[in-house]
């Protein structure tokens, strides 16, 4: 039997898997040079803002995600803040957010002076549990940030039904979900608004960037104003209507994104093909399994691919030990769902909200929050022992990469007894 790499044997994978990220070529180079020589490096340099590269990208990406309107911004965190403000979240409001996500899904809520309320997740999908979401609604709840974790769409049927009935807004955090579909419709504007990130690791990137999508003209106009220092369309340039920041995307970002968007379909299809192959391969290995895919998830564009670890079936090897052993074999597996539940961060555990404690100790809010008491048992369980993930880049090659991953995990499985 081959010795495990962790115990001094040779690795199964001794070359990078998939593709180096980001993927780019002459097209991006040409677009950047064109922007340079145009002498117009921001969207405001065009009499018609839609003629700018930013404007073109907004239309192209909104159409790509089946949304009517898009407002491009500096990054995904800014997109969430902009969306939350646009749907009317203000000081004293509560906003629901799943416990398993990237911290920005929650901090964006605090950044608009509202109170993040953590909600437990679904054991199978890692996404917000609709029943837990409904149970967390109070008379202070204004909105829910619904994350499509790892790009796997949350249950938008139940979420929009609950939100409609309980009159709260839904902001989709689609930072991981470019190209993902729920029942044939792309995510991002199924709820009231959606926020995307184009940060360097994401499946559509310009290094940094973000966009807010919606189907509602009024919300799009608010987002436009919130991203443009409080201006509104078709009014004098030096006339301002609300307190707002400058969140404008540059022409450089849009130039790159327009080219990257042309690559996205092929890349998404490659990832889907390879992940389906890997999921099938997992069926022959006790202790690892793919998410049981809901047929309503008609397309899964993922930033990382979440899957399940079953310790009992893996001869009792703790997940942390499995991760160590598989990483040593050269496969970049890690804890799924962005790691530990967000409320466990020092920010929340030490209630580090500055001198005034705003927005948590806000007189407009008037309730007491203590995140040291927050516990979402399913999120905890997934983090500690069940959720694993692989980055999207390893799925950009061909099946030989998937075979290597299967070989590495199979090797570790065969020698599980030595790892306990
Ligand atoms: C779920 C989620 N939301 C929001 C963001 C924030 O995006 P950005 O890094 O572009 O600010 C990220 C970034 O990783 C994310 O993963």
């Amino acid at each position: 039997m081959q010795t495990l790499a962790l115990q001094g044997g040779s690795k199964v994978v001794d070359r990078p898997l998939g593709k180096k990220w980001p993927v780019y070529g002459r097209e991006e180079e040409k677009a950047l040079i064109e922007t340079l020589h145009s002498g117009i490096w921001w969207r405001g340099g065009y009499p018609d803002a839609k003629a700018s590269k930013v404007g073109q990208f907004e239309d192209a990406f909104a159409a790509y995600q089946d949304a009517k309107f898009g407002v491009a911004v500096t990054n995904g965190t800014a997109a969430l803040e902009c969306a939350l403000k646009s749907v009317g979240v203000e000081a004293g409001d509560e906003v629901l957010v799943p416990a398993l996500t990237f911290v920005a899904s929650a901090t964006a809520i605090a950044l608009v002076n509202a109170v993040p309320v953590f909600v437990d997740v679904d054991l199978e999908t890692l996404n917000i549990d609709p029943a837990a979401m409904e149970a967390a609604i109070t008379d202070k709840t204004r909105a829910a940030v619904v994350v499509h974790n790892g790009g796997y769409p949350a249950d938008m049927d139940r979420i929009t039904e609950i939100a409609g009935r309980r009159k709260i807004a839904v902001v989709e955090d689609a930072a991981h979900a470019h190209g993902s579909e729920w029942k044939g419709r792309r995510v991002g504007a199924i709820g009231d608004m959606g926020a995307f990130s184009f940060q360097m690791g994401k499946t559509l990137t310009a290094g940094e960037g973000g966009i807010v999508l919606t189907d509602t003209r009024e919300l799009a106009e608010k987002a436009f104003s919130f991203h443009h220092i409080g201006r509104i369309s078709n009014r004098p340039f030096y006339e301002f209507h609300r307190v707002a920041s400058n969140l404008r995307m540059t022409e450089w970002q849009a130039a790159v994104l327009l080219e990257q968007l042309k690559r996205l379909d092929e890349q998404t299809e490659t990832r889907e093909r390879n992940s389906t192959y890997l999921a099938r391969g997992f069926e022959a290995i006790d202790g690892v399994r793919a998410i049981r895919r809901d047929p309503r998830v008609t397309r899964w564009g993922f930033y990382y691919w979440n899957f399940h670890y079953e310790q009992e079936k893996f001869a009792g090897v703790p997940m942390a030990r499995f991760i160590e052993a598989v990483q040593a074999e050269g496969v970049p597996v890690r804890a799924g769902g962005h790691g530990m539940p967000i409320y466990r961060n020092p920010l929340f555990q030490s209630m580090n909200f500055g001198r005034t404690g705003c927005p948590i100790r806000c007189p407009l809010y008037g309730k007491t929050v203590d995140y040291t008491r927050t516990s979402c048992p399913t999120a905890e369980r997934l983090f500690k022992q069940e959720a694993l993930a692989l980055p999207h880049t390893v799925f950009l090659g061909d099946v030989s990469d998937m075979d290597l991953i299967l070989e590495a995990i199979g090797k570790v499985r065969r020698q599980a007894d030595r790892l306990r």
Side-chain angles (χ1 to χ4, degrees):
M1 208 187 283
Q2 285 173 292
T3 311
L4 291 170
L6 191 66
Q7 294 168 343
S10 50
K11 306 166 144 195
V12 171
V13 187
D14 59 2
R15 62 169 175 84
L17 291 169
K19 280 202 178 143
K20 192 164 174 281
W21 192 255
V23 174
Y24 63 93
R26 288 249 178 266
E27 298 82 353
E28 282 79 0
E29 195 177 318
K30 187 165 162 272
L32 283 168
I33 297 286
E34 248 173 46
T35 304
L36 179 73
H37 293 306
S38 75
I40 306 179
W41 299 346
W42 77 306
R43 68 179 307 164
Y46 290 85
D48 169 12
K50 285 290 176 194
S52 63
K53 290 213 187 289
V54 175
Q56 289 170 42
F57 175 70
E58 286 174 341
D59 287 351
F61 190 69
Y64 186 80
Q65 292 295 142
D66 297 329
K68 289 200 179 117
F69 307 101
V71 176
V73 294
T74 44
N75 58 60
T77 309
L80 281 170
E81 287 178 52
C82 185
L84 287 165
K85 285 182 184 164
S86 303
V87 299
V89 172
E90 289 188 10
D93 293 336
E94 287 176 349
V95 179
L96 310 177
V97 62
L100 285 190
T101 179
F102 181 63
V103 73
S105 314
T107 43
I109 298 167
L111 282 164
V112 301
N113 290 320
V115 177
V117 173
F118 293 100
V119 176
D120 212 348
V121 295
D122 178 77
L123 186 59
E124 187 58 30
T125 66
L126 280 69
N127 286 326
I128 197 163
D129 173 347
M133 175 182 133
E134 176 149 32
I137 296 176
T138 71
D139 57 346
K140 296 270 179 197
T141 311
R142 184 87 189 183
V145 170
V146 170
V147 182
H148 304 301
N149 198 317
Y152 187 94
D155 183 342
M156 293 310 289
D157 288 0
R158 285 185 69 198
I159 288 164
T160 49
E161 186 277 319
I162 294 166
R165 187 161 40 75
R166 304 293 299 270
K167 302 204 171 9
I168 63 167
V170 172
V171 171
E172 292 173 60
D173 182 344
H176 303 164
H178 312 75
S180 286
E181 275 177 22
W182 177 254
K183 296 202 308 195
R185 179 174 179 181
R186 301 259 161 102
V187 300
I190 302 176
D192 297 275
M193 296 196 103
F196 289 77
S197 163
F198 306 124
Q199 173 270 336
M200 173 92 174
K202 302 298 183 319
T203 55
L204 186 67
T205 184
E208 298 281 5
I211 198 168
V212 175
L213 301 183
T214 183
D215 268 359
T216 310
R217 182 179 295 279
E218 192 199 334
L219 292 178
E221 281 168 6
K222 280 196 184 146
F224 180 82
S225 184
F226 275 120
H227 106 299
H228 201 18
I229 324 187
R231 292 185 174 92
I232 56 178
S233 311
N234 304 319
R235 294 297 306 164
F237 191 70
Y238 284 112
E239 184 182 289
F240 303 90
H241 294 256
R242 44 172 62 84
V243 177
S245 197
N246 171 2
L247 308 177
R248 294 184 302 261
M249 177 182 273
T250 67
E251 287 290 276
W252 308 106
Q253 288 166 291
V256 173
L257 286 166
L258 279 166
E259 295 309 320
Q260 290 279 302
L261 186 56
K262 294 178 194 158
R263 302 178 187 275
L264 184 58
D265 268 337
E266 198 215 315
Q267 291 170 341
T268 305
E269 279 152 28
T270 305
R271 290 187 195 100
E272 276 257 55
R273 198 169 50 247
N274 282 326
S275 59
T276 305
Y277 182 92
L278 190 69
R280 258 190 242 118
F282 276 5
E283 286 166 16
I285 307 175
D286 276 344
V288 285
R289 69 168 179 84
I291 290 178
R292 287 186 200 99
R293 186 154 161 176
D294 186 321
R296 292 172 296 178
V297 175
T298 43
R299 197 166 187 251
W300 184 3
F302 56 85
Y303 166 50
Y304 50 76
W305 191 72
N306 284 319
F307 63 99
H308 287 272
Y309 182 67
E310 295 168 321
Q311 186 175 324
E312 333 72 67
K313 293 196 188 156
F314 213 94
V317 174
M319 191 173 83
R321 191 80 175 128
F322 169 88
I323 293 174
E324 252 184 305
V326 175
Q327 282 181 351
E329 298 298 338
V331 177
V333 70
R334 59 174 181 74
H338 258 304
M340 69 179 173
I342 295 307
Y343 53 79
R344 289 237 225 137
N345 277 283
L347 158 64
F348 295 103
Q349 290 301 303
S350 60
M351 300 290 283
N352 188 12
F353 294 99
R355 189 167 46 82
T356 62
C358 235
I360 305 303
R361 275 202 302 268
C362 171
L364 289 171
Y365 182 49
K367 285 164 71 176
T368 310
V369 183
D370 180 358
Y371 290 114
T372 63
R373 289 159 165 247
T374 304
S375 179
C376 295
T378 307
E380 294 285 342
R381 173 173 159 189
L382 282 163
F383 165 62
K384 276 189 217 129
Q385 58 198 59
E386 283 187 38
L388 291 170
L390 283 164
H392 72 88
T393 52
V394 307
F395 296 92
L396 284 172
D398 56 35
V399 289
S400 68
D401 294 321
M402 302 301 105
D403 285 333
L404 282 174
I405 296 173
L406 291 169
E407 198 183 321
I409 296 180
K411 176 181 168 190
V412 173
R413 178 67 193 85
R414 284 191 296 281
Q415 302 193 52
D417 287 342
R418 297 198 190 170
L419 279 175
R420 269 200 315 272

